[in-house]
């Protein structure tokens, strides 16, 4: 028995050590970017390299905010990410709830059609969606980035699978007490789905925050740039201000990191939602 425990302890140690090494490999470039954002111009490519430089300062961040108008781009991205995430959660969680708890003619076929859209590459529908955006006068508007992101078949699937695992007894008890169907959803079923809602919030916010291709197609006014567009276009005619660019990159990491830290306790419950069986 003692040898078995020692073997298990050794296996755990090797596993955790390998996981720690892998995490360090992924984190080293990120940490290097953060440390380099405090370096003075000319120290970024100096040899031998130093962690923070000889005189670390916040000048790069100040320059990025003033010269690069990064505050405007940050506000644009926050607006797009928050609004798209809120609408994505509201619409798709409700759709998943309906597919899970209500029976109607053609419900299985309709859900199969929703899942079928997962197999359609984004490049196939990009041009039709772009034409819709232009025809509805959403081109070069921030709402042109928000509206197409509201529909997510992945979110519908995760919400449906999660709600299938919740007993119908909650709904029946609420109906006996006289609650409306909308009241049952908002007051009972939606709070019970907090884990999957948290995961959808993280994924949707991260996708919208890091999106580059769709904003590149829809936005042509510099005043309406998102962070990713600003980072891609933050260069001079003959050179790139790498120090300010690194500072902007570090700032762009903070919101996603904060959202992840705040909702991390809900992640595992939400990620396993797809494996729940009714």
């Amino acid at each position: 028995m003692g040898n078995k425990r020692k073997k298990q302890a050794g296996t755990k140690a090797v596993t955790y050590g390998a996981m720690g090494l892998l995490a360090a490999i992924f984190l080293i470039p990120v940490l290097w970017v953060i440390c380099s954002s405090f370096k003075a111009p000319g120290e970024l490519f100096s040899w031998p390299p130093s962690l923070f430089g000889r005189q670390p300062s916040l000048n790069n961040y100040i320059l990025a905010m003033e010269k690069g108008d990064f505050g405007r781009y940050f506000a644009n991205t926050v607006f797009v990410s928050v609004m798209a995430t809120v609408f994505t959660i509201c619409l798709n969680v409700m759709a998943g709830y309906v597919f899970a708890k209500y029976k109607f003619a053609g419900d299985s076929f309709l859900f199969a059609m929703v899942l079928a859209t997962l197999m359609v590459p984004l490049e196939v529908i990009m041009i039709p969606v772009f034409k819709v955006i232009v025809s509805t006068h959403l081109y070069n508007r921030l709402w042109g980035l928000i509206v197409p992101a509201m529909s997510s078949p992945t979110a519908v699937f995760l919400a449906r699978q999660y709600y299938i695992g919740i007993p119908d007894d909650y709904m029946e008890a609420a109906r006996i007490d006289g609650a409306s169907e909308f009241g049952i959803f908002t007051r009972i079923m939606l709070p019970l789905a907090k884990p999957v809602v948290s995961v959808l919030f993280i994924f949707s916010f991260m996708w919208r925050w890091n999106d580059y291709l769709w904003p590149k197609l829809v936005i042509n006014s510099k005043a309406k740039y998102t962070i990713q567009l600003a980072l891609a276009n933050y260069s001079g005619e003959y050179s790139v201000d790498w120090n300010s660019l690194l500072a902007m990159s570090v700032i762009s990491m903070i919101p996603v990191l904060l959202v992840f830290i705040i909702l991390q306790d809900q992640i595992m419950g939400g990620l396993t939602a797809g494996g729940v069986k009714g």
Side-chain angles (χ1 to χ4, degrees):
M1 186 61 106
N3 293 333
K4 185 177 180 180
R5 290 182 177 178
K6 290 181 179 180
K7 185 176 180 180
Q8 291 177 347
T11 302
K12 287 184 178 180
V14 172
T15 302
Y16 292 154
M19 293 174 62
L21 179 61
L22 186 62
I25 293 175
F26 281 101
L27 286 176
I28 286 175
V30 178
L31 294 176
W32 182 258
V33 169
I34 295 174
C35 294
S36 298
S37 66
F38 297 99
K39 293 181 179 179
E43 293 185 340
L44 192 60
F45 301 103
S46 63
W47 190 264
S50 58
L51 194 59
F52 288 99
R54 291 185 295 273
Q55 295 180 339
S57 67
L58 296 174
N59 290 337
N60 297 326
Y61 291 88
I62 298 173
L63 183 62
M65 287 294 181
E66 295 178 351
K67 177 184 175 182
D69 200 15
F70 192 67
R72 179 192 297 270
Y73 307 142
F74 189 88
N76 292 341
T77 312
V78 168
F79 176 76
V80 171
S81 300
V82 171
M83 295 301 296
T85 298
V86 170
F87 280 110
T88 297
I89 291 176
C90 291
L91 296 177
N92 296 284
V93 171
M94 283 194 291
Y97 171 71
V98 170
F99 280 124
K101 295 302 181 182
Y102 293 91
K103 300 299 179 183
F104 52 91
D107 57 342
S108 298
F109 174 77
L110 186 58
F111 182 66
M113 293 299 294
V114 172
L115 292 183
T117 60
L118 289 171
M119 296 180 287
V120 180
L122 176 62
E123 292 76 11
V124 174
I125 63 174
M126 188 171 292
I127 294 178
V129 173
F130 179 78
K131 289 184 176 181
V132 172
I133 292 298
V134 174
S135 63
T136 53
H137 307 288
L138 293 177
Y139 178 73
N140 199 33
R141 295 175 180 267
L142 294 180
W143 282 101
L145 307 178
I146 297 171
V147 174
M150 293 181 184
S151 176
S152 172
T154 303
V156 174
F157 172 76
L158 288 177
R160 175 185 179 272
Q161 295 304 102
Y162 192 89
Y163 276 121
I164 285 177
I166 298 178
D168 295 341
D169 297 343
Y170 294 102
M171 301 172 62
E172 297 299 332
R175 290 186 181 122
I176 293 174
D177 291 338
S180 64
E181 295 299 317
F182 187 72
I184 292 173
F185 172 73
T186 56
R187 297 181 181 181
I188 299 174
M189 304 304 286
L190 185 58
L192 289 175
K194 186 178 178 181
V196 72
V197 169
S198 300
V199 170
L200 293 179
F201 188 96
I202 292 173
F203 285 169
S204 178
F205 188 88
M206 182 176 62
W207 290 335
R208 300 286 73 79
W209 189 270
N210 294 324
D211 193 13
Y212 170 77
L213 181 58
W214 186 246
K216 181 66 174 177
L217 293 176
V218 176
I219 302 298
N220 65 4
S221 174
K222 190 174 182 180
K224 298 178 181 179
Y225 273 5
T226 60
I227 285 179
Q228 302 307 323
L229 288 179
L231 291 176
N233 290 276
Y234 192 77
S235 59
E237 185 176 359
Y238 301 105
S239 62
V240 178
D241 185 358
W242 289 107
N243 295 81
S244 298
L245 185 61
L246 290 176
M248 293 168 63
S249 300
V250 172
I251 296 175
S252 68
M253 299 178 191
I254 296 176
V256 177
L257 184 61
L258 289 177
V259 170
F260 183 84
I261 292 175
I262 294 172
L263 301 177
Q264 63 178 330
D265 292 338
Q266 305 293 333
I267 291 177
M268 293 308 300
L271 289 175
T272 56
V276 177
K277 295 183 179 179

